[in-house]
Amino acid sequence: MEETNFFERVYAVVRQIPYGKVTSYGAIAKALGTARSARMVGWAMNASHHLEDVPAHRVVNRKGLLTGKLHFDGTNLMQQLLESEGIVVKDNQIANFEAHFWEPEVRK
């Protein structure tokens, strides 16, 4: 199934995000070299919560907002996971976002 393959490609990129770093839905879409939108990456991330080896908390929107936080168990779990990696979050947004941003390598 094409969608499953796309989701697995997204998860392969997310597994590479270094500890203490974050990336965006759009950066993942760009790295995959696909016409699929950042929204499709978001759907993949929403479907990843049963996968313990996919650090979904490290994927945020292009402005550093924790837009996926509603999909985590617990009120502030996404924020707590990021803060446990040394990332400061204020008002649901990563402080000093550029310093924590990781650009995935473009896949061919």
Side-chain angles (χ1 to χ4, degrees):
M1 179 179 207
E2 182 183 338
E3 183 176 280
T4 301
N5 183 44
F6 177 75
F7 283 16
E8 288 303 322
R9 291 173 59 217
V10 169
Y11 302 152
V13 173
V14 175
R15 288 182 182 109
Q16 296 175 39
I17 304 170
Y19 181 92
K21 295 289 184 178
V22 295
T23 196
S24 68
Y25 303 100
I28 293 170
K30 179 181 170 188
L32 293 175
T34 179
R36 306 261 186 149
S37 69
R39 185 167 304 217
M40 284 294 296
V41 173
W43 290 338
M45 296 314 304
N46 187 31
S48 74
H49 295 291
H50 65 285
L51 303 173
E52 293 182 15
D53 66 332
V54 176
H57 64 283
R58 296 181 187 152
V59 182
V60 297
N61 84 354
R62 63 187 173 87
K63 296 180 180 178
L65 289 168
L66 310 189
T67 52
K69 77 177 203 158
L70 299 174
H71 301 289
F72 285 81
D73 291 333
T75 309
N76 288 316
L77 182 58
M78 184 178 189
Q79 180 172 334
Q80 291 167 350
L81 290 168
L82 290 167
E83 289 175 341
S84 74
E85 296 184 17
I87 297 174
V88 175
V89 178
K90 292 185 180 180
D91 297 321
N92 293 315
Q93 188 167 16
I94 294 174
N96 201 8
F97 179 54
E98 297 80 19
H100 296 288
F101 188 78
W102 176 77
E103 186 76 45
E105 187 174 313
V106 175
R107 297 175 173 238
K108 299 200 175 42

